[in-house]
């Protein structure tokens, strides 16, 4: 059989081999690819086989394209790919998987809150003196249990707990996880969007759980507090899960922001947005203007400026949900600014640095935005206490910098 000429060789754009054609050659063999023919010496001499890619029919190409539509990447496979690429290690992969499982459980509880009688106040207050909703307590337990069971967390710190908790020795791992198990829980009874926020810090050997008869628990707690109080610059990963019309899991590992949406058909998070970039500017602001009279005069001037149509004839639009996760997610996608300033009642603002401000600021910076307390970058602030509060202004870079000029 004669060897095929160049005119006989045609290639499939999809690289699929529709049929193998064989031909004889004494000295060499050829591997035919889309762009080139690679000549290789024959090991044994004599007859040699060579693959020739024949042109796929139009029907085959169409079928290949249709099949690609159904190629889905789950959060699990995405995390494994990050591990293979050396972005994260196997330990962190397990921690993030346990967090995603906690979010699925909490989402189910939120959706059935009315049916399961989980609406309303629990009857207790948290470490900040706030009334706890029933779902605050349940969500905190779910989050804590999933992290403990992962076997890869050494310290967990929750907005709902007085102090960080050193995980029992039988489950002990290294990573430090801080979280707000259910942000915006005051919206639960009205079925408005809520969410969970988390941040993960690197292992730290200064807080090892090594209890014996002479060790006082207070000493262990104190060491845990010292290790949890890290600036946001030290975050390895951060994310949030929003419980709304869709359940959306947003995550950054310090190499961009990625969004996953839960597919209820088979209970998996599916990658839906890659490398999210917040617009450099936007015309939406989210502030609780019910506190306007309690604000600093400089902040009032800023808000008044946003309402002034100016030469364009279009003022900024006000959008405020009252759930940090919901307001932030909209800002991340559409641009603009979200703010929770200090006022005469809350001299340091109301949002917590460790559980809310730092993780969200890490996410927004990875998306090309900015997080500030009005005077400095949020991620540069060194926490001095577990439940420290700070003002937060977060969103498009141009919008945050505009506000900082008013407050400076």
């Amino acid at each position: 059989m004669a060897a095929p000429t160049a005119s006989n060789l045609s290639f499939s754009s999809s690289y699929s081999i529709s049929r193998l054609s064989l031909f004889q050659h004494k000295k060499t063999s050829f591997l035919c690819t889309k762009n080139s023919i690679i000549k290789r010496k024959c090991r044994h001499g004599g007859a040699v086989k060579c693959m020739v890619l024949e042109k796929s029919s139009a029907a085959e190409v169409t079928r290949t394209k249709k099949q690609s539509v159904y190629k889905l990447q789950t959060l699990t496979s995405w995390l494994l790919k990050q591990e293979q690429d050396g972005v994260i290690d196997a330990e962190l992969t397990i921690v993030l998987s346990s967090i995603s499982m906690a979010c699925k459980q909490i989402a189910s509880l939120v959706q059935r809150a009315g049916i399961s009688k989980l609406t309303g106040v629990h009857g207790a207050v948290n470490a900040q003196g706030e009334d706890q909703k029933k779902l605050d307590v349940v969500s905190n337990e779910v989050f804590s249990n999933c992290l403990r069971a992962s076997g890869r967390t050494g310290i967990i710190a929750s907005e709902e707990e007085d102090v960080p908790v050193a995980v029992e020795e039988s489950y002990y791992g290294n990573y430090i996880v801080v979280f707000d198990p259910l942000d915006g829980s005051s919206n639960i009874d009205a079925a408005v969007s809520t969410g969970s926020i988390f941040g993960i810090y690197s292992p730290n050997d200064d807080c090892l759980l090594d209890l014996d008869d002479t060790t006082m628990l207070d000493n262990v707690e104190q060491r845990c507090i010292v290790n949890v109080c890290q600036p946001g610059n030290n975050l390895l990963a951060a994310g949030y899960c929003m419980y709304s019309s869709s359940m959306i899991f947003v995550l950054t590992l310090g190499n961009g922001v990625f969004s996953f949406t839960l597919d209820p058909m088979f209970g998996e998070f599916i990658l839906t947005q890659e490398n999210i970039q917040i617009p450099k500017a936007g015309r939406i602001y989210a502030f609780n203007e019910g506190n306007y009279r309690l604000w600093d005069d400089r902040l009032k001037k800023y808000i008044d400026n946003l309402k002034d149509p100016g030469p364009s004839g279009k003022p900024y639009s006000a959008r405020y949900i009252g759930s940090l996760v919901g307001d932030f997610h909209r800002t991340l996608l559409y641009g603009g600014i979200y703010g929770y300033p200090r006022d005469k009642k809350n001299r340091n603002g109301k949002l917590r640095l460790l559980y809310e401000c730092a993780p969200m600021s890490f996410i927004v910076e990875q998306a090309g935005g900015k997080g500030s307390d009005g005077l400095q970058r949020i991620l540069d602030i060194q926490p001095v206490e577990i439940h420290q509060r700070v003002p937060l202004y977060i969103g498009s870079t141009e919008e945050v910098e505009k506000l900082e000029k008013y407050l400076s």
Side-chain angles (χ1 to χ4, degrees), residues 302 336-337 370-372 393-405:
Y302 167 75
I337 185 170
K370 188 171 185 178
S372 170
Y393 305 101
I394 193 168
S396 300
T397 301
E398 291 183 13
E399 303 302 332
V400 176
E401 290 178 349
K402 178 181 177 180
L403 176 137
E404 287 178 326
K405 290 178 181 177

Side-chain angles (χ1 to χ4, degrees), residues 127-139:
Q128 294 82 49
E130 301 166 329
D131 289 333
Q132 287 182 310
K133 298 287 186 177
K134 292 177 183 177
L135 267 176
D136 281 327
V137 177
V138 176
S139 298

Side-chain angles (χ1 to χ4, degrees), residues 232 235-238 252-254 357-367 379:
L235 280 165
L236 291 179
T252 180
L253 303 175
C357 301
M360 290 306 205
S361 295
F362 186 47
I363 294 169
V364 83
E365 287 198 7
Q366 287 296 314
L379 297 184

Side-chain angles (χ1 to χ4, degrees), residues 339-385:
Y340 207 116
R342 59 168 52 93
D343 57 40
K344 293 178 181 178
K345 289 195 306 181
N346 302 290
R347 296 293 182 181
N348 296 315
K350 199 171 181 181
L351 299 179
R352 289 81 175 174
L353 175 60
L354 276 174
Y355 313 107
E356 297 165 317
C357 301
M360 290 306 205
S361 295
F362 186 47
I363 294 169
V364 83
E365 287 198 7
Q366 287 296 314
K370 188 171 185 178
S372 170
D373 70 349
L375 299 174
Q376 63 178 321
R377 180 172 173 255
I378 288 289
L379 297 184
D380 289 335
I381 300 175
Q382 173 66 52
V384 294
E385 58 183 68

Side-chain angles (χ1 to χ4, degrees), residues 179-391:
F179 59 93
D180 180 353
L182 192 60
D183 170 75
S185 58
S186 60
N187 289 321
I188 287 291
D189 295 3
V192 178
S193 62
T194 55
S196 300
I197 307 170
F198 65 89
I200 302 174
Y201 289 93
S202 59
N204 198 321
D205 294 335
D206 292 335
C207 184
L208 298 176
L209 184 63
D210 185 20
L211 298 178
D212 54 39
D213 294 338
T214 62
T215 302
M216 297 295 293
L217 184 60
D218 288 345
N219 294 334
V220 175
E221 289 178 350
Q222 187 60 40
R223 284 189 294 166
C224 289
I225 290 173
V226 170
N227 284 278
V228 168
C229 285
Q230 299 186 47
N233 279 325
N234 291 353
L235 280 165
L236 291 179
Y240 61 86
C241 191
M242 184 172 70
Y243 314 120
S244 185
S245 57
S246 297
M247 182 180 171
I248 299 175
F249 190 89
V250 175
L251 174 66
T252 180
L253 303 175
N255 60 347
V257 179
F258 299 81
S259 178
F260 302 81
T261 302
L262 183 70
D263 187 337
M265 185 177 295
F266 54 93
E268 285 283 354
F269 283 109
I270 305 300
L271 179 63
T272 48
Q273 290 179 283
E274 299 183 66
N275 295 310
I276 298 173
Q277 289 292 300
I278 186 172
K280 295 297 182 184
R283 300 196 67 83
I284 298 176
Y285 72 97
F287 285 70
N288 182 2
E289 293 188 76
N291 295 323
Y292 179 87
R293 293 186 179 277
L294 303 176
W295 290 343
D296 182 273
D297 289 339
R298 293 170 297 178
L299 181 60
K300 290 180 182 178
K301 289 180 180 179
Y302 167 75
I303 294 296
D304 293 340
N305 176 266
L306 298 184
K307 295 179 180 180
D308 183 359
S312 68
K314 293 183 179 180
Y316 278 61
S317 297
R319 299 284 187 272
Y320 187 73
I321 298 172
S323 166
L324 173 58
V325 170
D327 281 312
F328 177 82
H329 189 69
R330 182 197 57 246
T331 304
L332 180 66
L333 298 182
Y334 303 154
I337 185 170
Y338 168 88
Y340 207 116
R342 59 168 52 93
D343 57 40
K344 293 178 181 178
K345 289 195 306 181
N346 302 290
R347 296 293 182 181
N348 296 315
K350 199 171 181 181
L351 299 179
R352 289 81 175 174
L353 175 60
L354 276 174
Y355 313 107
E356 297 165 317
C357 301
M360 290 306 205
S361 295
F362 186 47
I363 294 169
V364 83
E365 287 198 7
Q366 287 296 314
K370 188 171 185 178
S372 170
D373 70 349
L375 299 174
Q376 63 178 321
R377 180 172 173 255
I378 288 289
L379 297 184
D380 289 335
I381 300 175
Q382 173 66 52
V384 294
E385 58 183 68
I386 291 299
H387 298 294
Q388 180 177 342
R389 300 174 191 260
V390 295

Side-chain angles (χ1 to χ4, degrees), residues 37-110:
I37 300 177
I38 304 173
K39 182 183 289 188
R40 298 188 300 182
K41 291 183 179 180
C42 175
R43 294 181 181 178
H44 307 293
V48 183
K49 299 179 180 180
C50 174
M51 296 185 297
V52 179
L53 304 180
E54 293 188 350
K55 184 177 181 180
S56 298
S57 66
E60 289 175 310
V61 173
T62 302
R63 185 164 58 251
T64 301
K65 289 182 178 179
K66 285 183 177 179
Q67 289 173 346
S68 65
V69 174
Y70 299 99
K71 183 180 180 181
L72 303 177
Q73 186 169 14
T74 66
L75 174 62
T76 301
S77 62
W78 185 85
L79 288 173
L80 291 174
K81 181 64 167 60
Q82 302 307 304
E83 182 184 332
Q84 291 172 358
D85 292 344
V87 178
I88 57 177
D89 60 19
E91 307 281 301
L92 188 52
T93 300
I94 294 172
V95 173
L96 290 166
S97 295
S98 70
I99 290 174
S100 72
M101 177 56 68
C103 291
K104 290 178 186 178
Q105 293 183 47
I106 294 171
S108 178
L109 291 168
V110 168

